[in-house]
Amino acid sequence: QVQLVESGGGLVQPGGSLRLSCAASRSIFSFYTMGWYRQAPGKQRELVAVFTSGSGTNYADPVKGRFTISRDNAKNTVYLQMSSLKPEDTAVYYCHAVTGTIVHWGQGTQVTVSS
């Protein structure tokens, strides 16, 4: 059973920054893909940023140039550095990983961007 534990969410003013962390219960090398999704109230869950199967990265257009995904293999942790945050970035952010045909989700962490 894979466990993904997110942390780092909170309340931030527009233009501010936050860094989210996702700690995995096993080596992140075992994941086919790993990254972040988000879900705003009344909206569908959407991709934010992921490491792809070829170790590349994929970002959603609304976050390109503002968010950066990174990882620490020794700590089995993936990060999402979020800068220049906007109110429309407000959502629950979920860590996501795929092993074989199984999709794993974390419990989510709330990010609220408001003045």
Side-chain angles (χ1 to χ4, degrees), residues 53-73:
S53 59
S55 295
T57 55
N58 186 26
Y59 291 90
D61 286 342
V63 308
K64 285 181 179 177
R66 301 188 297 120
F67 291 10
T68 302
I69 190 171
S70 63
R71 59 191 174 192
D72 185 330
N73 297 330

Side-chain angles (χ1 to χ4, degrees), residues 3 25 27 54 60 64 66 68 73 86 100 107 112-113:
Q3 291 186 331
S25 59
S27 171
K64 285 181 179 177
R66 301 188 297 120
T68 302
N73 297 330
K86 304 175 181 180
Q107 82 285 356
T112 302
V113 184

Side-chain angles (χ1 to χ4, degrees), residues 78-100:
V78 170
Y79 303 97
L80 183 68
Q81 179 66 49
M82 305 184 294
S83 302
S84 301
L85 283 161
K86 304 175 181 180
E88 51 263 43
D89 294 317
T90 295
V92 178
Y93 284 70
Y94 295 93
C95 186
H96 166 277
V98 176
T99 56

Side-chain angles (χ1 to χ4, degrees), residues 1-112:
Q1 182 72 15
V2 174
Q3 291 186 331
L4 304 172
V5 180
E6 303 101 332
S7 61
L11 173 64
V12 62
Q13 292 186 342
S17 299
L18 279 176
R19 188 178 80 158
L20 305 182
S21 300
C22 173
S25 59
R26 59 194 268 188
S27 171
I28 60 177
F29 286 117
S30 67
F31 300 134
Y32 183 69
T33 65
M34 187 174 184
W36 296 91
Y37 282 66
R38 68 186 181 186
Q39 187 167 18
K43 295 187 177 181
Q44 291 189 333
R45 194 171 297 188
E46 62 180 7
L47 179 146
V48 177
V50 293
F51 286 106
T52 63
S53 59
S55 295
T57 55
N58 186 26
Y59 291 90
D61 286 342
V63 308
K64 285 181 179 177
R66 301 188 297 120
F67 291 10
T68 302
I69 190 171
S70 63
R71 59 191 174 192
D72 185 330
N73 297 330
K75 295 182 178 179
N76 295 330
T77 299
V78 170
Y79 303 97
L80 183 68
Q81 179 66 49
M82 305 184 294
S83 302
S84 301
L85 283 161
K86 304 175 181 180
E88 51 263 43
D89 294 317
T90 295
V92 178
Y93 284 70
Y94 295 93
C95 186
H96 166 277
V98 176
T99 56
T101 59
I102 301 173
V103 178
H104 307 275
W105 295 98
Q107 82 285 356
T109 186
Q110 177 71 45
V111 172
T112 302

